[in-house]
Amino acid sequence: MAGRLESCSSDPSSVSYLTQREAAEIDEELMGPLGFSVDQLMELAGLSVATSIAEVYKASEYKRVLAICGPGNNGGDGLVAARHLFHFGYKPYICYPKRTPKPLYTGLVTQLESLRVPFLSVEDLPPDLSTEYDILLDAVFGFSFHGAARPPFDDILRRLIGMRKSDQTNKKSPVIVSIDIPSGWHVEEGDISGEGIKPDMLVSLTAPKLCAKQFHGPHHFLGGRFVPPPIAEKYNLRLPPYPGASMCVHIGKAPQVDISAMRENYISPEFHEEEVDADPIKQFCKWFEEAVAAGLREANAMALSTAGKDGKPSSRMVLLKGVDEDGFVWYTNYESQKGCQLSENPWASLLFYWESLNRQVRVEGSVEKVSNEESEKYFHSRPHGSQIGAIVSKQSSIVPGRQVLHQQYRELEEKFSNVNLIPKPEHWGGYRLKPELIEFWQGQQSRLHDRLQYRPQEIDGRQVWKIVRLAP
Ligand SMILES: NC(=O)C1=CN([C@@H]2O[C@H](COP(=O)(O)OP(=O)(O)OC[C@H]3O[C@@H](n4cnc5c(N)ncnc54)[C@H](OP(=O)(O)O)[C@@H]3O)[C@@H](O)[C@H]2O)[C@H](O)CC1
Ligand SMILES: Cc1cc2nc3c(=O)[nH]c(=O)nc-3n(C[C@H](O)[C@H](O)[C@H](O)COP(=O)(O)O)c2cc1C
Ligand SMILES: Cc1ncc(COP(=O)(O)O)c(C=O)c1O
Ligand SMILES: [K+]
């Protein structure tokens, strides 16, 4: 595979493309019979653009954004995107040479001014855009563009084109992100002369316009998550599903990534011996609460590693369901692979990784089953479906097909429909790992991470936790 990986994204051939007329018609319908206001749509469009940028170009690396805004709604999208980018931690600058006196636009300008976002005239722009900015946000023209670009936009577009050409020797040149249409391109025919701008990212709104078929840059996103079913049906729109609550979705050819070049530089507050709790469980609870407060999804997910008598380790994720001075608890099937391994060798290790906090916690120790009462109590606290699921699943054994599980599930659902208490299978229950080692890892720059390790020690017949710092 030579370090190359194709990341997931939707199949571009399954997405619909709009003509210029369709795009304008949809706009009119949204803002007419469908009850939207232009302010609303522009806010959602600009937010989609900002979130698409944040998905690919992290503020830590691509901080300085020049939003070049044109006279129409595409320019308005750029103003909104710049405001959101400001709040995401970027440093936006705006070039907005042909302003519209409508209250919507003057409001957007006032909002940016109140954030002290600088507005630059065309004359103020540095001669070489490539040294001053990390992202050039092309919000010049959208789907109403026609003919050839008129001043002052013709010159601005030439500078964007020239910058990309003369920059091939530079180490890091800014990326161009186009909103809806790469400005200067024909809305349907695309880059007719072949001399137009070559954006690195295109954020199509509502649905890609026909010109987007010619976009071959690495990042094609779709935004504008506001299309109601009547529009999708009327225009026979095939659009990819948006993941979760995201405002954007990656479409088009999946970018090639060089795995060997993938790395993050961790920037965190330093983590000192003086500030940690003498009790590692209390320290764990502190970090756990911080992980939850930071909004991490499943902060209680941990990798559990076990090895049976053959000494060959295996890992899988499980959910932490309790922690106190006695140890770390999770629930599972005692006859699963992990269950069999733990019956042969009652030692295991747990690992938490809280990515956005640059934190890892590693726990090692001996494992025993929790009491049957504890397992009963937990089992009956679970949703009914999960209780039935636990009965159905002979975890880690081979099943002939998904339908077998569904069939058994339905039978049990029927069987227990009028039953108050679904009996817990005997082979289902909890384990508790009693720690003999806990290490707290805080990622730092240049790989000089903080690692504080706790191990129990006997002092005057009393067990205390000794804390040492380990080399990163
Ligand atoms: N439903 C959606 O997806 C939404 C998309 N939004 C965004 O809106 C644009 C379309 O906005 P619109 O205002 O219709 O069009 P433009 O942004 O392309 O700008 C039109 C202005 O540009 C002038 N223009 C056109 N051609 C030229 C040219 N060759 N040189 C200079 N100026 C030009 C035009 O002036 P004219 O006098 O020529 O008519 C207009 O002033 C869409 O692409 C999305 O980005 C909405 O924000 C939300 C809904
Ligand atoms: C986030 C996450 C949490 C999980 N939590 C549990 C759990 O608490 N208990 C469990 O038995 N399996 C859990 N699983 C499934 C296990 O990872 C694993 O597939 C299953 O327990 C079988 O493992 P084994 O064959 O090694 O015993 C979880 C999986 C994920 C991705
Ligand atoms: C098979 C299995 N069992 C148990 C669990 C533990 O979670 P819960 O008890 O919250 O269902 C999970 C969680 O993903 C799981 O996948
Ligand atoms: K544009």
Side-chain angles (χ1 to χ4, degrees):
M1 187 163 66
R4 293 246 146 218
L5 185 80
E6 293 243 317
S7 71
C8 306
S9 73
S10 318
D11 172 10
S13 62
S14 66
V15 176
S16 313
Y17 292 80
L18 300 177
T19 63
Q20 188 166 31
R21 205 168 60 95
E22 285 171 331
E25 260 180 41
I26 290 177
D27 225 31
E28 276 168 30
E29 286 195 37
L30 286 169
M31 290 187 266
L34 289 165
F36 285 95
S37 69
V38 63
D39 309 35
Q40 274 184 299
L41 297 180
M42 194 174 282
E43 190 62 31
L44 292 169
L47 180 59
S48 309
V49 171
T51 54
S52 303
I53 290 175
E55 280 208 6
V56 176
Y57 304 116
K58 302 286 168 225
S60 52
E61 249 186 283
Y62 293 86
K63 201 167 179 73
R64 303 160 305 171
V65 183
L66 174 66
I68 308 170
C69 301
N73 287 353
N74 197 259
D77 294 350
L79 297 172
V80 173
R83 168 160 45 76
H84 288 292
L85 287 170
F86 172 90
H87 290 295
F88 294 174
Y90 295 80
K91 172 129 189 60
Y93 300 78
I94 313 285
C95 177
Y96 185 32
K98 283 259 182 277
R99 303 197 183 187
T100 310
K102 289 185 193 151
L104 165 60
Y105 293 85
T106 53
L108 293 175
V109 169
T110 306
Q111 291 156 28
L112 286 159
E113 283 170 347
S114 76
L115 300 173
R116 300 208 177 82
V117 169
F119 278 74
L120 310 173
S121 68
V122 178
E123 295 73 39
D124 289 339
L125 288 179
D128 185 359
L129 295 179
S130 64
T131 57
E132 302 284 317
Y133 307 105
D134 305 306
I135 298 176
L136 298 163
L137 181 57
D138 154 31
V140 181
F141 300 121
F143 61 61
S144 299
F145 176 72
H146 50 88
R150 300 189 295 271
F153 300 108
D154 53 348
D155 175 56
I156 294 178
L157 292 179
R158 266 196 296 276
R159 286 163 79 171
L160 288 178
I161 296 161
M163 182 202 70
R164 299 301 294 175
K165 278 185 185 152
S166 62
D167 237 13
Q168 279 161 4
T169 51
N170 273 12
K171 271 177 240 98
K172 184 183 165 217
S173 50
V175 293
I176 299 180
V177 177
S178 288
I179 303 180
D180 211 21
I181 310 280
S183 294
W185 285 24
H186 189 280
V187 176
E188 295 180 357
E189 308 290 318
D191 184 13
I192 298 172
S193 66
E195 307 267 285
I197 66 168
K198 305 252 178 310
D200 302 274
M201 178 189 259
L202 172 63
V203 185
S204 293
L205 297 167
T206 301
K209 315 303 165 298
L210 278 168
C211 65
K213 287 193 172 178
Q214 283 189 23
F215 171 75
H216 300 301
H219 306 289
H220 189 184
F221 276 74
L222 179 67
R225 190 175 185 177
F226 47 63
V227 179
I231 292 279
E233 282 152 22
K234 178 167 174 190
Y235 292 89
N236 197 13
L237 295 185
R238 274 167 290 114
L239 299 172
Y242 287 83
S246 182
M247 290 308 294
C248 58
V249 52
H250 197 284
I251 52 176
K253 204 171 115 277
Q256 292 240 308
V257 292
D258 175 0
I259 299 178
S260 69
M262 288 175 81
R263 60 175 67 83
E264 290 287 330
N265 187 26
Y266 307 111
I267 302 171
S268 331
E270 287 184 354
F271 182 55
H272 295 285
E273 290 80 342
E274 305 81 68
E275 76 198 50
V276 295
D277 203 293
D279 178 350
I281 299 296
K282 291 202 177 112
Q283 180 61 39
F284 177 85
C285 292
K286 181 166 179 279
W287 270 25
F288 186 77
E289 281 161 19
E290 287 172 5
V292 172
L296 291 185
R297 192 161 168 254
E298 294 206 299
N300 62 331
M302 55 188 186
L304 161 70
S305 300
T306 53
K309 58 175 183 272
D310 62 5
K312 296 180 181 171
S314 61
S315 305
R316 80 291 286 153
M317 301 301 290
V318 291
L319 294 182
L320 179 70
K321 290 289 167 170
V323 56
D324 59 21
E325 295 307 320
D326 295 329
F328 294 73
V329 175
W330 68 92
Y331 289 87
T332 192
N333 186 314
Y334 290 143
E335 291 168 359
S336 64
Q337 186 190 352
K338 67 182 101 49
C340 296
Q341 289 181 333
L342 285 168
S343 70
E344 291 173 8
N345 171 16
W347 292 88
S349 108
L350 302 172
L351 186 71
F352 297 84
Y353 178 46
W354 295 315
E355 188 262 351
S356 63
L357 294 173
N358 301 332
R359 283 175 176 174
Q360 168 181 248
V361 180
R362 175 172 169 178
V363 187
E364 294 171 15
S366 58
V367 179
E368 47 186 48
K369 289 180 183 170
V370 307
S371 70
N372 194 48
E373 297 73 66
E374 216 175 323
S375 292
E376 284 281 352
K377 192 166 168 224
Y378 176 69
F379 183 80
H380 292 116
S381 77
R382 306 177 77 216
H384 274 203
S386 309
Q387 295 185 36
I388 295 176
I391 304 174
V392 168
S393 169
K394 299 190 176 18
Q395 198 176 49
S396 317
S397 67
I398 293 172
V399 274
R402 202 170 162 75
Q403 74 286 357
V404 179
L405 298 174
H406 278 303
Q407 175 66 26
Q408 289 174 1
Y409 185 93
R410 276 195 298 272
E411 284 167 18
L412 286 173
E413 219 179 10
E414 174 73 30
K415 178 172 165 193
F416 294 127
S417 58
N418 293 317
V419 173
N420 265 346
L421 211 63
I422 299 170
K424 176 185 84 59
E426 267 189 29
H427 56 263
W428 198 94
Y431 284 107
R432 176 176 281 109
L433 182 145
K434 190 174 164 47
E436 292 201 349
L437 176 153
I438 304 190
E439 181 196 314
F440 295 87
W441 182 98
Q442 177 78 68
Q444 298 293 356
Q445 296 196 52
S446 306
R447 306 301 191 228
L448 294 181
H449 316 302
D450 291 311
R451 296 180 62 189
L452 298 182
Q453 189 195 70
Y454 293 67
R455 278 179 185 276
Q457 228 189 12
E458 281 252 323
I459 296 183
D460 302 332
R462 228 166 31 94
Q463 211 205 50
V464 292
W465 289 96
K466 185 173 157 42
I467 304 173
V468 292
R469 173 175 289 269
L470 301 180

